[in-house]
Amino acid sequence: MSTGAPPPGRSQGEPPARADVLVLGGGPAGASAAIALRRRGISALVVERAEGPGVGIGEHLAPPTLPLLARLGVLDGVLAGGHRRSAGVRSAWGEPALRDRDYIFCAEGEGFHLNRAAFDGMLLDVAEAAGARVIRGGDPPPLVRRGPSGWLARIGGDELRFSAVVDATGRAASFARAQGARRRAWDRLVGVSAFLAPRDAVELEDALWVEAVEGGWLYSAPLAGDRLVVTLFADTDALAAGGAAALAGALLAQSTHTAARVAPFSPAGEWHVRPACSEASDPIAGPGWLAVGDAATARDPLSSSGIAHALEDALDAASAIEAHLGGDLQSFSRYAEARRRAFDDYLSTRTRTYRMEPRFPGSPFWRRRWWASPEEAPVLLDPRARLRLAPRGLQRARSASPELPAGVEVEALCSAAERGAPAHAIVAAYRAAHPAGASDRAVIVAVQALLARGIFEAIG
């Protein structure tokens, strides 16, 4: 197999050169996939579109991630990378007081607050040192499917043939979408982040802090140079109400501990907004391609597992690709199924964690997270309640899809309520028009979710 060096020029009509795997994306998932592939003797070409890393919402590396870094062969690079070490987590979750979870009790040792630019750059450097070819700042090349032989692409004037493509393009999942994959979101979580500099000398403890408030939750962690990264998590409707700075101010005003922690720091010069919802691609893999990291399944930062799941995907993807190149036609399907099972387990854990916070029963943010999926929500709707579509409800309805059971067509449901009718009549009208779609219960849950969002309104 090739070492990843650029192929020599070829005369017209000569077959394209072989480069086993094209990796689209050079973040932790893509770079780690390239490293794992090269460890198995498989050539890889990485196209990293961004000129530099984006703003990471989560910068924390929990101790259970360290064995994965060791398996990948990059743990020494992290230990020598100048990242700020973390002794544990302090959280006000389920009660007002901050409670400590000290990493001294973790078998893997301490955690780290990462400098993401340095971490991501280190992984790409390791991939190159292992023999992968890395193109930084390049646009993803157009790809043409060539039957069982793989994919063709023209890169840097050379026509290359790839046996597999790895989509590591993050939440955009651009290659998977181009192959027909759809993204399903389970919520509308968004993170609003700022990097704060101290006004004067400040003694900043090494712990990660998490604090639940009525409108969402807050995350803060120290970085090198006594800077503090703070991220405030809420749903997109709260962000839309007043913008990033207003949302940050509102959540900080609801907090006790985080507000005190940021007080010695200068005000944020800029708030960075990033999606943070739980979402997954369907499918995760297909003929000649598979997705890794956030392009496969993206997780709530509360799990502190984003980097760990990117590394796990990368290691498992390399194994699946090796089997695929050896003639195993089912290896990609097994890889995708394992990702789906892991994501289902994550959703259950996510629900249990959010249910541990009972202090805000009237908060839409918390109510939306008390079930692993909309299908599990209890039926509380009075079937006799007269409802109708609220003014401008249809325009706002599309963003409500993550809160609706799968299979419910939100625009059609809005049409059924446009003139106003009892809830049971709206459900019956929708089901009559879509007899093979979602169940009665799913439609009822969808109606009550739209009512809670103000997309439907009660009428006398």
Side-chain angles (χ1 to χ4, degrees):
M1 296 183 181
S2 65
T3 63
R10 291 178 302 279
S11 60
Q12 187 174 4
E14 189 177 343
R18 167 88 174 265
D20 289 309
V21 180
L22 175 64
V23 181
L24 300 175
S32 298
I35 295 168
L37 288 165
R38 291 301 302 136
R39 301 279 191 249
R40 295 173 177 269
I42 300 169
S43 68
L45 188 155
V46 181
V47 178
E48 161 61 343
R49 183 172 188 172
E51 295 291 348
V55 177
I57 286 180
E59 306 289 332
H60 189 70
L61 194 69
T65 312
L66 301 186
L68 292 169
L69 293 166
R71 283 181 57 194
L72 196 63
V74 298
L75 179 57
D76 289 344
V78 172
L79 297 177
H83 306 288
R84 186 159 184 159
R85 294 172 186 258
S86 172
V89 177
R90 305 189 74 195
S91 63
W93 195 276
E95 58 181 331
L98 279 172
R99 300 294 182 186
D100 293 337
R101 179 163 62 89
D102 200 316
Y103 285 161
I104 195 172
F105 299 108
C106 293
E108 299 87 355
E110 59 194 344
F112 293 88
H113 302 298
L114 293 179
N115 177 330
R116 275 297 299 273
F119 177 75
D120 292 0
M122 180 272 294
L123 290 177
L124 276 178
D125 289 344
V126 171
E128 279 189 305
R133 180 184 174 192
V134 177
I135 300 176
R136 290 175 168 86
D139 291 325
L143 287 159
V144 178
R145 181 71 177 163
R146 284 295 181 261
S149 62
W151 306 84
L152 285 180
R154 182 167 291 279
I155 299 175
D158 293 299
E159 190 175 56
L160 303 178
R161 177 166 62 89
F162 299 96
S163 297
V165 175
V166 174
D167 186 346
T169 59
R171 289 177 180 270
S174 55
F175 185 81
R177 290 178 191 269
Q179 307 315 306
R182 300 182 64 181
R183 295 285 282 188
R184 181 187 175 189
W186 274 255
D187 57 68
R188 295 174 297 117
L189 188 69
V190 64
V192 179
S193 300
F195 297 90
L196 308 181
R199 292 191 183 96
D200 300 303
V202 61
E203 186 175 346
L204 189 59
E205 68 173 59
D206 285 331
L208 162 69
W209 285 21
V210 174
E211 181 179 5
V213 297
E214 184 174 4
W217 60 277
L218 303 93
Y219 161 110
S220 60
L223 298 175
D226 286 331
R227 291 188 309 149
L228 184 74
V229 57
V230 59
T231 304
L232 309 104
F233 293 94
D235 285 331
T236 51
D237 50 352
L239 177 66
L247 174 60
L251 293 185
L252 282 170
Q254 295 173 14
S255 76
T256 300
H257 308 292
T258 308
R261 194 180 203 189
V262 304
F265 291 81
S266 297
E270 181 180 6
W271 290 98
H272 305 274
V273 179
R274 293 291 185 273
C277 62
S278 301
E279 60 179 341
S281 291
D282 183 18
I284 291 172
W289 68 272
L290 48 75
V292 296
D294 286 349
T297 61
R299 306 182 182 197
D300 187 322
L302 184 61
S303 68
S304 294
S305 65
I307 290 176
H309 120 256
L311 299 176
E312 289 173 345
D313 281 8
L315 290 163
D316 289 350
S319 177
I321 290 170
E322 183 178 47
H324 171 79
L325 296 178
D328 184 346
L329 301 181
Q330 301 302 316
S331 64
F332 284 9
S333 296
R334 291 195 302 273
Y335 166 86
E337 179 58 30
R339 307 278 78 70
R340 285 189 290 267
R341 289 197 304 269
F343 191 69
D344 287 344
D345 290 343
Y346 149 76
L347 288 175
S348 297
T349 301
R350 163 184 170 270
T351 300
R352 289 195 300 272
T353 303
Y354 275 107
R355 282 181 175 173
M356 291 169 64
E357 178 49 89
R359 291 179 291 162
F360 314 108
S363 164
F365 176 88
W366 294 96
R367 287 203 309 267
R368 291 165 180 168
R369 287 161 173 79
W370 286 343
W371 300 279
S373 67
E375 289 83 354
E376 296 182 8
V379 173
L380 305 173
L381 182 68
D382 182 350
R384 299 165 296 178
R386 292 185 59 81
L387 309 175
R388 69 183 173 196
L389 184 65
R392 297 191 302 276
L394 185 59
Q395 292 93 314
R396 294 185 288 116
R398 295 178 184 88
S399 67
S401 295
E403 296 172 26
L404 306 187
V408 176
E409 298 181 21
V410 64
E411 293 186 17
L413 188 55
C414 288
S415 296
E418 191 168 8
R419 296 183 179 180
H424 67 81
I426 294 172
V427 173
Y430 177 89
R431 291 285 287 126
H434 301 81
S439 66
D440 287 353
R441 185 184 188 284
V443 180
I444 293 168
V445 169
V447 169
Q448 70 183 22
L450 294 175
L451 179 61
R453 287 281 311 278
I455 294 167
F456 286 0
E457 61 182 8
I459 54 179

